[in-house]
Amino acid sequence: QETQWDYTTKRELRSINLHPCPLLISKAYKAMVESFGWKSLTILYQDNHSLLRLQELIKSPLQSNTKILLRKLSFGEGEDNNKVLLEVKQLGAIHIVLDCDQDKIRGVLSKAQEVGLVTAYHSFLVTNLDMHLVNLDVFKDSGVNITSLRLVDPTLPKMIDAVRGWEEVKTE
């Protein structure tokens, strides 16, 4: 199962978009950060779509004393984000929101580990809804707190039945 967020895609008349709307997901991330009690955080983001998903969180310093540092990650040819991650480390960031594609999460976390950002003193909120597909075994002994949001419990009997039904329709 994979989620895909594209607010610009035009849908067929008989299609269902199961992805939450950007404003609601943004409010959920803001509520999570507030519940964590983070008074400062660094947002590492991939592109402008990230900023849409995190708009409520980014606006939150206007309503509270939260300090937010924004840093754009680069995934072009020959770029590895070491400079950005080293800067974040040198600035003393311990609470980090990571918004990037699912296939880039592990790489960013590995680079963050190399520069000393993946320790028992650090916490990550990963905003990608496909986080459950990322193998995080290499970080389990680091003590880092990596949190994400999951909208569906795949172990619920109703969910298992729904997935089976979709698979049957797919094979027909």
Side-chain angles (χ1 to χ4, degrees):
Q1 296 170 329
E2 236 179 295
T3 62
Q4 191 168 14
W5 180 72
D6 186 358
Y7 68 96
T8 62
T9 301
K10 292 190 180 190
R11 309 265 187 269
E12 297 285 329
L13 263 166
R14 288 176 263 157
S15 67
I16 299 172
N17 179 6
L18 298 177
H19 200 284
C21 84
L23 182 60
L24 290 179
I25 199 77
S26 183
K27 286 181 178 184
Y29 294 133
K30 178 184 174 200
M32 288 175 76
V33 166
E34 288 172 350
S35 75
F36 298 157
W38 292 358
K39 297 300 178 200
S40 67
L41 60 111
T42 299
I43 297 175
L44 299 175
Y45 68 99
Q46 179 174 341
D47 54 30
N48 291 339
H49 293 218
S50 300
L51 300 177
L52 280 173
R53 279 189 294 276
L54 300 172
Q55 63 185 311
E56 291 300 310
L57 183 56
I58 293 168
K59 291 189 303 188
S60 66
L62 300 174
Q63 302 142 4
S64 68
N65 292 332
T66 305
K67 293 180 178 136
I68 297 179
L69 175 68
L70 287 165
R71 288 296 180 265
K72 188 170 192 286
L73 298 168
S74 298
F75 296 101
E77 185 93 16
E79 299 188 52
D80 66 6
N81 292 305
N82 272 355
K83 185 177 176 184
V84 171
L85 295 169
L86 273 170
E87 178 190 7
V88 168
K89 165 82 169 151
Q90 291 168 348
L91 291 170
I94 56 172
H95 303 122
I96 300 167
V97 175
L98 174 60
D99 188 289
C100 63
D101 291 342
Q102 177 252 326
D103 63 331
K104 294 172 176 51
I105 294 169
R106 186 175 165 143
V108 171
L109 290 173
S110 292
K111 291 291 181 183
Q113 187 172 37
E114 287 176 18
V115 301
L117 285 171
V118 178
T119 70
Y121 300 106
H122 295 90
S123 296
F124 283 80
L125 170 59
V126 180
T127 61
N128 191 294
L129 296 176
D130 287 328
M131 178 65 173
H132 64 281
L133 299 173
V134 179
N135 183 344
L136 299 174
D137 287 346
V138 296
F139 309 110
K140 68 181 175 186
D141 296 327
S142 68
V144 69
N145 180 339
I146 301 174
T147 303
S148 67
L149 184 62
R150 189 170 198 172
L151 301 180
V152 177
D153 181 353
T155 63
L156 291 175
K158 284 185 178 183
M159 194 62 204
I160 293 169
D161 290 343
V163 170
R164 278 192 196 122
W166 293 335
E167 288 171 349
E168 288 171 12
V169 169
K170 222 188 215 179
T171 57
E172 290 176 1

